[in-house]
Amino acid sequence: MSPLTLALLLSAQQPTTYCPVIVYRDYHFGAVYKAVPRLPTTCKGAARVRKSSTINVKRNGAPYQPVKPEIGAWDVTRTKTNIPPRELWTLTTWRWEYWDGSRWRGAL
């Protein structure tokens, strides 16, 4: 068995550890703020995050709740993130959420 095949098998067997996200509000300008997502110091994994509309929510028969990104989520680790810099600027009508392994929860 090649080393690459062995590494792929081992990584597939290890469960992914999802961490909560703490979102600090930096540079607050009226109804817009710059989000600074951080992982707790106890986190040994990574986080999956997204933004979700608080105005258009999926309730009372509403067909759609806007989320960004529309497909998937962004990743946050201790050293890097793939969140586009322009998406860090957040209207107060949107909230940051993280994936806990079973459902989306509001960021701390």
Side-chain angles (χ1 to χ4, degrees):
M1 186 179 300
S2 75
L4 178 59
T5 305
L6 182 60
L8 289 173
L9 287 173
L10 290 175
S11 66
Q13 293 172 354
Q14 297 173 349
T16 302
T17 302
Y18 294 105
C19 297
V21 174
I22 302 165
V23 176
Y24 296 99
R25 293 180 177 210
D26 197 10
Y27 302 113
H28 202 111
F29 296 109
V32 179
Y33 65 93
K34 184 176 183 183
V36 180
R38 295 286 184 248
L39 299 179
T41 55
T42 58
C43 175
K44 302 284 188 231
R48 303 275 295 155
V49 297
R50 71 178 187 181
K51 290 195 303 190
S52 176
S53 172
T54 59
I55 294 176
N56 303 323
V57 292
K58 217 177 196 181
R59 64 177 173 220
N60 299 330
Y64 176 68
Q65 178 177 0
V67 294
K68 290 183 179 183
E70 291 181 9
I71 298 173
W74 295 303
D75 299 314
V76 177
T77 66
R78 287 234 170 267
T79 58
K80 63 182 178 175
T81 179
N82 65 349
I83 303 172
R86 63 181 163 72
E87 288 295 343
L88 292 172
W89 290 98
T90 309
L91 287 169
T92 55
T93 57
W94 288 75
R95 77 176 190 158
W96 286 89
E97 298 177 334
Y98 69 92
W99 180 252
D100 72 354
S102 61
R103 70 183 192 104
W104 290 102
R105 298 184 178 266
L108 311 172

